[in-house]
Amino acid sequence: MLRLGENTRRVALAGAAVGGLVAVTLLAAAALLPLLVPAAELRRAAIAAVAGTTERGVTVSGDPVLRLLPSPRVELRKVTFTLPHGQSLDADAVVSRISLWPLLFGRIVVSEVTLRSPSLVLTGERRAPQLGIMPFLAAADGPELRVVDGTIAWRSQSGLTRELVSGIVGSFDRVAGGRGMNLSVVFDWRDAAVEANLSVDDVKAFLGGTPTATRASLTSSTARLRFRGQASFAARPVAEGSLVADADSLRAWLDWVGLPAPTSRGLGPFSFNSQLVLDGDQLSFTDTVLDLDGNRGEGGLLVKLDGERPVVQGTFATERLSLNPYGRMRLTSDDGREWSREPFDLSVLDRFDLDLRLSAGQVTAEDTTFTTVAASAVLSNSRLTLALGQTSGWNGMLRGTATLSPRWPGRGADGTGLSVRIAAECTDISLERALDDMAGLDTFKGTGTLQFDLQGEGRNAQDIAQSLSGTLALTSSGGEIAGFDVAQVLRRIERRPLSGAADPRGGHTPFTALQVTASLRHGLATLGTMAIDGKQVHLDMAGTIDVGQRTLDMSGEAALKATPKDGEPQDIALPFLVEGPWTAPRIMADPVSLIERSGAAQPLLEAVKSRQTGAVHTMIEKLVKPVAPLPAGAAGTGN
């Protein structure tokens, strides 16, 4: 035991001596190595680690500092790298970690470089930025890279610089013996944290233009994008593989990236799955599946970025499409009494060109369903053309086109606003449903054909309504007019002529034929023909409809067809007037006609013709008082 204890003490003393010697050696090295290694060599090695083998284009403020504790490293202060195409890279400090063993023999080998507070300024207008750090990325035996609190900015040709990305914390690691790389970056963009990852199997091939296995992802708190396939990044970027993207809210994502939403509602959960082919300035998306607001479509897209504006071409098909999440386009005020005066926002028409085709088995808008829908949207030079092919809807068939374009300077008073032309043909449709959907009118019921070709221009719906010009035609072979019973009114006049001044509204008037034609100019529609024929009555009307003011000024004659009475036909015809707002017009029988039908009122009529006194006029007004308008929807349904 005593011998073992003695040996233990000897081993402990020997270990302590060796440890002390190593410590002294390290302290001596820490003191002497900064003196033995020339500052110029430290500077060259630190710069070569990130800028190649030359110091050309690199500016360093101050001498390099070699520190051995807690690990060997070289620090350079205020370093500026001049990059191609007028770009620049500045860093508050460049810290190069040195391998210890080679350092003991006087060689400097950099294993890792950290850029503290670097600022990368990119330039160029239409080409992809050419990063000047490509040689560093391509070097198989180069060091790994770390970035702390970095910033990327963009300098336009005018010299204006704006910050794109800040708060960058990233790492660049070499894998597969230096052939591949893993790049991970976390940064702040528009007040949101974003994480980006890029993995490449062969960096040299990737940067040299030869596609290699590549995986990339971009993730924020509410959106995600992932790519997996083959890619290269050289003078002409190339990629081919699968692309998956999704967002909790497409509207929130558009707002985040600074793009205007095309609708005021909807654009919620979104997902996109496609096969991507990128070839320079052209992106092709095939086998695409798009899910948005519960709607799913399949098709493809082609995006071209080589012109003055992006060009988007695509074709999509879907079994069912619901437009209800996006609301209904409102052209009127909230109370529905006048046209909207809210200015149109046409900025989206000048951002890109579009050629999109859509086919759908069923399209739902509120409680209206259209089937076998084939539609297209073509946007070129700020002119948008929407076309609807032969489509089943409103229990009939319809097709039409709509063209929208900004009013160019010189056409409008101030060169702003919208020019619109709409042409449509609706055959054998439900008049009640179609007219209610298009104009909020529920007067006509039955099946008919509607044709119109209208155009107008202005800054809002009110301006367009006041400038509207074109033609309109409506025909029907059977139906009814809801809101008043013409036959009942005429029979009442037959029995008591002066009772015709009572409210004629309520009930309905069946017809076997309806024909309406009108021409519009500057928002005023003039009736060419308005004839309504039924088994009991016939109506002819003339006059105008002020579309801009939404008022009626029409007159006509309603005739009760001859019916046998004691073997003799009895014909009754009554002139009448329709005036006031078209949602609740005043319907008035012609006063003179009523008086002429009343034998008791003939002396009064003669007095009117001969004396024209105010007192007589007062009596006439009491006898024949115009009907006051009822609130919209308050008309009765009596017979």
Side-chain angles (χ1 to χ4, degrees), residues 330-341 461-462 465 547-550 582-583:
R330 294 187 60 88
L331 299 178
T332 61
S333 59
D334 292 339
D335 58 11
R337 296 182 179 179
E338 60 181 17
W339 297 109
S340 172
R341 299 178 184 271
Q462 174 70 32
V547 179
Q549 299 300 321
R550 299 167 63 88
W582 66 22
T583 54

Side-chain angles (χ1 to χ4, degrees), residues 59 171 319 402:
T59 303
S171 63
E319 289 293 329

Side-chain angles (χ1 to χ4, degrees), residues 280-430:
D281 295 325
Q282 182 169 296
L283 296 92
S284 174
F285 301 91
T286 58
D287 298 328
T288 301
V289 178
L290 173 65
D291 286 279
L292 178 62
D293 295 321
N295 297 313
R296 167 168 287 202
E298 299 180 2
L301 285 172
L302 178 64
V303 181
K304 299 179 180 179
L305 305 174
D306 54 351
E308 293 184 358
R309 296 192 301 182
V311 177
V312 180
Q313 299 174 332
T315 302
F316 276 89
T318 179
E319 289 293 329
R320 293 180 178 84
L321 174 63
S322 174
L323 301 180
N324 293 334
Y326 312 107
R328 184 175 183 177
M329 179 180 293
R330 294 187 60 88
L331 299 178
T332 61
S333 59
D334 292 339
D335 58 11
R337 296 182 179 179
E338 60 181 17
W339 297 109
S340 172
R341 299 178 184 271
E342 183 176 353
F344 295 122
D345 182 5
L346 307 179
S347 60
V348 68
L349 298 182
D350 197 41
R351 294 176 180 263
F352 58 92
D353 289 341
L354 175 70
D355 187 350
L356 185 63
R357 315 286 166 157
L358 172 68
S359 60
Q362 177 179 300
V363 177
T364 302
E366 293 190 339
D367 57 353
T368 301
T369 299
F370 302 93
T371 58
T372 61
V373 177
S376 66
V378 178
L379 174 61
S380 178
N381 296 323
S382 301
R383 180 185 178 94
L384 176 63
T385 300
L386 304 173
L388 182 66
Q390 195 79 4
T391 300
S392 299
W394 296 318
N395 297 333
M397 302 296 295
L398 59 144
R399 61 182 179 180
T401 60
T403 303
L404 302 87
S405 59
R407 289 193 299 174
W408 302 110
R411 295 186 60 188
D414 56 2
T416 62
L418 175 70
S419 176
V420 58
R421 179 174 181 177
I422 302 177
E425 179 179 1
C426 310
T427 306
D428 297 330
I429 59 172
S430 167

Side-chain angles (χ1 to χ4, degrees), residues 337-630:
R337 296 182 179 179
E338 60 181 17
W339 297 109
S340 172
R341 299 178 184 271
E342 183 176 353
F344 295 122
D345 182 5
L346 307 179
S347 60
V348 68
L349 298 182
D350 197 41
R351 294 176 180 263
F352 58 92
D353 289 341
L354 175 70
D355 187 350
L356 185 63
R357 315 286 166 157
L358 172 68
S359 60
Q362 177 179 300
V363 177
T364 302
E366 293 190 339
D367 57 353
T368 301
T369 299
F370 302 93
T371 58
T372 61
V373 177
S376 66
V378 178
L379 174 61
S380 178
N381 296 323
S382 301
R383 180 185 178 94
L384 176 63
T385 300
L386 304 173
L388 182 66
Q390 195 79 4
T391 300
S392 299
W394 296 318
N395 297 333
M397 302 296 295
L398 59 144
R399 61 182 179 180
T401 60
T403 303
L404 302 87
S405 59
R407 289 193 299 174
W408 302 110
R411 295 186 60 188
D414 56 2
T416 62
L418 175 70
S419 176
V420 58
R421 179 174 181 177
I422 302 177
E425 179 179 1
C426 310
T427 306
D428 297 330
I429 59 172
S430 167
L431 297 180
E432 179 183 16
R433 300 181 63 181
L435 294 178
D436 182 47
D437 285 344
M438 289 189 286
L441 299 176
D442 57 359
T443 303
F444 296 101
K445 298 184 179 181
T447 300
T449 296
L450 174 64
Q451 297 173 310
F452 57 87
D453 187 347
L454 304 173
Q455 57 185 346
E457 60 182 20
R459 291 172 296 180
N460 49 46
Q462 174 70 32
D463 291 346
I464 291 179
Q466 291 180 334
S467 67
L468 211 57
S469 299
T471 59
L472 180 146
L474 173 64
T475 59
S476 175
S477 58
E480 64 180 41
I481 303 174
F484 63 100
D485 188 338
V486 175
Q488 183 186 57
V489 172
L490 293 178
R491 291 192 186 98
R492 187 166 62 230
I493 293 173
E494 179 184 17
R495 296 189 299 269
R496 298 178 58 191
L498 294 184
S499 68
D503 190 347
R505 285 174 292 191
H508 58 275
T509 301
F511 62 81
T512 56
L514 166 68
Q515 183 177 7
V516 179
T517 61
S519 61
L520 291 90
R521 183 175 176 80
H522 301 306
L524 188 67
T526 302
L527 292 177
T529 303
M530 186 169 183
I532 302 173
D533 191 60
K535 294 181 179 180
Q536 295 180 314
V537 298
H538 179 86
L539 287 84
D540 286 302
M541 298 188 67
T544 60
I545 303 173
D546 192 328
V547 179
Q549 299 300 321
R550 299 167 63 88
T551 59
L552 307 176
D553 185 8
M554 299 187 297
S555 62
E557 183 176 85
L560 184 65
K561 291 187 175 181
T563 56
K565 184 177 181 181
D566 297 332
E568 297 293 335
Q570 301 291 320
D571 293 330
I572 299 177
L574 174 66
F576 65 95
L577 306 174
V578 180
E579 299 176 346
W582 66 22
T583 54
R586 295 184 297 272
I587 305 172
M588 302 177 291
D590 180 67
V592 176
S593 176
L594 294 178
I595 293 174
E596 287 178 344
R597 290 180 176 278
S598 175
Q602 284 295 330
L604 178 59
L605 180 61
E606 295 299 327
V608 172
K609 291 179 179 181
S610 61
R611 298 174 60 186
Q612 297 294 321
T613 63
V616 174
H617 279 294
T618 302
M619 294 176 62
I620 293 177
E621 292 177 358
K622 291 181 178 180
L623 287 172
V624 188
K625 185 178 180 181
V627 177
L630 292 178

Side-chain angles (χ1 to χ4, degrees), residues 109-198:
V109 177
V110 178
S111 61
E112 179 183 290
V113 175
T114 299
L115 302 181
R116 293 179 179 173
S117 301
S119 177
L120 175 64
V121 178
L122 305 176
T123 61
E125 291 295 331
R126 296 180 182 174
R127 63 171 178 245
Q130 301 296 316
L131 300 181
I133 60 173
M134 294 304 185
F136 169 82
L137 300 179
D141 57 349
E144 296 180 347
L145 179 66
R146 304 289 182 262
V147 175
V148 179
D149 194 23
T151 300
I152 297 179
W154 180 268
R155 182 185 296 126
S156 66
Q157 291 181 344
S158 63
L160 180 64
T161 302
R162 61 187 180 92
E163 183 177 293
L164 299 180
V165 179
S166 62
I168 301 174
V169 177
S171 63
F172 173 86
D173 298 310
R174 302 182 188 277
V175 297
R179 292 182 63 252
M181 72 170 185
N182 288 331
L183 176 64
S184 298
V185 180
V186 177
F187 56 89
D188 294 328
W189 189 60
R190 297 193 174 185
D191 301 324
V194 182
E195 180 179 354
N197 292 279
L198 174 65

